[in-house]
């Protein structure tokens, strides 16, 4: 069985926790540092990076140096989904993946309560 983002959000809601956001390292970096990039650079990261890497480092303007750094970081960043979940303060058992998984499996009836 595959679990969609909506299914997981519904499960979290039923359990009493909130799925705050689904993002990735790549998306967070683009959001936080992407303002120095042009729209065309954002659309084709690897091509834009190669173009800047061909230029001599001494001939790059300050903005091009910033763009190159952001493009390098984006090129290396992970695109896997990151799930940000709000956990109530009194549920410290849910602060790790194992604890959260165990609690959700018990809640769904897929695991016996210890």
């Amino acid at each position: 069985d595959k679990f969609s983002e909506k299914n997981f959000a519904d499960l979290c809601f039923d359990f009493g926790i909130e799925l705050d956001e689904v993002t990735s390292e790549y998306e967070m970096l683009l959001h936080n540092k992407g303002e120095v990039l042009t729209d065309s650079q954002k659309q084709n990261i690897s091509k834009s990076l190669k173009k800047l890497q061909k230029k001599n480092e001494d001939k790059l303007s300050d903005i091009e140096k910033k763009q190159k750094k952001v493009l390098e970081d984006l090129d290396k960043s992970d695109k896997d989904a990151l799930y940000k979940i709000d956990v109530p303060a009194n549920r410290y058992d849910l602060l790790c993946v194992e604890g959260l998984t165990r609690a959700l499996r018990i809640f769904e009836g897929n695991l016996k309560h210890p």
Side-chain angles (χ1 to χ4, degrees):
D1 269 345
K2 288 214 173 198
F3 225 60
S4 72
E5 198 175 301
K6 175 153 178 25
N7 293 128
F8 187 66
D10 291 343
L11 175 61
C12 289
F13 179 80
D14 293 342
F15 184 68
I17 58 178
E18 183 182 346
L19 177 60
D20 188 37
E21 179 183 15
V22 179
T23 187
S24 69
E25 181 185 2
Y26 177 86
E27 289 174 9
M28 288 189 302
L29 189 59
L30 190 58
H31 176 74
N32 292 332
K33 295 185 178 180
E35 71 275 354
V36 299
L37 301 177
T38 64
D39 288 338
S40 63
Q41 286 175 320
K42 289 177 186 177
Q43 291 173 351
N44 199 335
I45 302 291
S46 58
K47 183 179 176 184
S48 301
L49 180 57
K50 287 177 186 174
K51 187 177 176 182
L52 284 174
Q53 286 173 333
K54 287 181 182 178
K55 282 189 171 184
N56 188 338
E57 190 72 29
D58 298 335
K59 294 186 179 183
L60 290 176
S61 67
D62 287 344
I63 189 73
E64 287 176 321
K65 288 178 185 177
K66 288 178 185 176
Q67 290 171 336
K68 182 180 175 188
K69 173 70 174 127
V70 171
L71 289 168
E72 287 171 342
D73 291 346
L74 284 170
D75 194 47
K76 293 183 227 172
S77 65
D78 195 356
K79 292 183 176 88
D80 289 344
L82 297 174
Y83 290 77
K84 292 185 178 182
I85 301 170
D86 277 341
V87 176
N90 65 337
R91 292 302 308 265
Y92 54 88
D93 59 317
L94 304 178
L95 292 177
C96 67
V97 174
E98 293 84 1
L100 180 62
T101 303
R102 181 176 183 218
L104 290 174
R105 290 187 71 208
I106 291 169
F107 178 73
E108 285 193 302
N110 295 331
L111 185 67
K112 281 185 167 182
H113 198 284

